[in-house]
Amino acid sequence: MDLEVTDELTIPAAELAWRFSRSSGPGGQHVNTSDSRVQLTWNVVDSLVLGESQRERLVSRLGRRLTNGGITVTVSAQRSQLRNRETALEHLGDIVREALAPAAPLRRATKPTRGSARRHLAGKKRRSETKQQRQRPSAD
């Protein structure tokens, strides 16, 4: 089952590596006999569907998550292996989609408006007066 990340990028099932193991958590005795935990791995570095610019962007943005050039997603949230597989595919798709998204434009620093500065100072003055009123009166 291929993973459609975007309209332009679909990861073929042949590039996805699955591993299954026993999951902890709810499920009673059933959990001790079924391999419901899912590990999905996709090798970014060796992928044939990525262009060079896409590969560079993924490697730079996912650098700390990559292990030997591949990204691994582990899911054991559900009791069913099938649902865990679906969740793992969705999660991998989200990670890759987010990493391939263009960078947000840099924020241009601006000064506070004159009105907001005036309101800010008025609030500080009110707070100061409130605290001044809490003090003991002087002995004069």
Side-chain angles (χ1 to χ4, degrees), residues 61-116:
R61 290 194 176 170
L62 298 176
R64 65 184 187 277
R65 289 199 65 168
L66 295 178
T67 307
N68 296 330
I71 184 165
T72 301
V73 175
T74 304
V75 177
S76 61
Q78 306 291 328
R79 293 183 187 188
S80 163
Q81 185 188 99
L82 179 62
R83 280 187 275 178
N84 282 337
R85 287 178 120 189
E86 293 166 352
T87 305
L89 279 171
E90 289 173 19
H91 192 53
L92 179 64
D94 292 342
I95 291 170
V96 173
R97 196 174 303 111
E98 188 176 315
L100 285 175
L106 294 176
R107 179 187 169 277
R108 185 171 32 168
T110 58
K111 286 187 194 175
T113 62
R114 197 175 301 153
S116 69

Side-chain angles (χ1 to χ4, degrees), residues 3-132:
L3 173 61
E4 186 174 332
V5 178
T6 62
D7 294 336
E8 299 85 32
L9 178 63
T10 302
I11 302 171
E15 290 191 8
L16 300 174
W18 297 92
R19 285 186 60 213
F20 307 102
S21 59
R22 296 211 173 112
S23 175
S24 62
Q29 294 176 352
H30 172 71
V31 117
N32 298 329
T33 59
S34 63
D35 292 339
S36 59
R37 181 172 169 246
V38 172
Q39 239 181 347
L40 174 61
T41 304
W42 177 52
N43 196 325
V44 176
V45 176
D46 297 335
S47 179
L48 301 174
V49 295
L50 292 174
E52 201 54 44
S53 62
Q54 289 176 323
R55 186 181 333 275
E56 288 173 10
R57 179 176 276 179
L58 283 173
V59 168
S60 68
R61 290 194 176 170
L62 298 176
R64 65 184 187 277
R65 289 199 65 168
L66 295 178
T67 307
N68 296 330
I71 184 165
T72 301
V73 175
T74 304
V75 177
S76 61
Q78 306 291 328
R79 293 183 187 188
S80 163
Q81 185 188 99
L82 179 62
R83 280 187 275 178
N84 282 337
R85 287 178 120 189
E86 293 166 352
T87 305
L89 279 171
E90 289 173 19
H91 192 53
L92 179 64
D94 292 342
I95 291 170
V96 173
R97 196 174 303 111
E98 188 176 315
L100 285 175
L106 294 176
R107 179 187 169 277
R108 185 171 32 168
T110 58
K111 286 187 194 175
T113 62
R114 197 175 301 153
S116 69
R118 196 172 27 246
R119 286 189 300 272
H120 175 68
L121 289 175
K124 287 171 73 81
K125 189 170 182 81
R126 273 194 312 272
R127 185 77 178 142
S128 172
E129 290 168 357
T130 301
K131 291 189 170 203
Q132 290 291 327

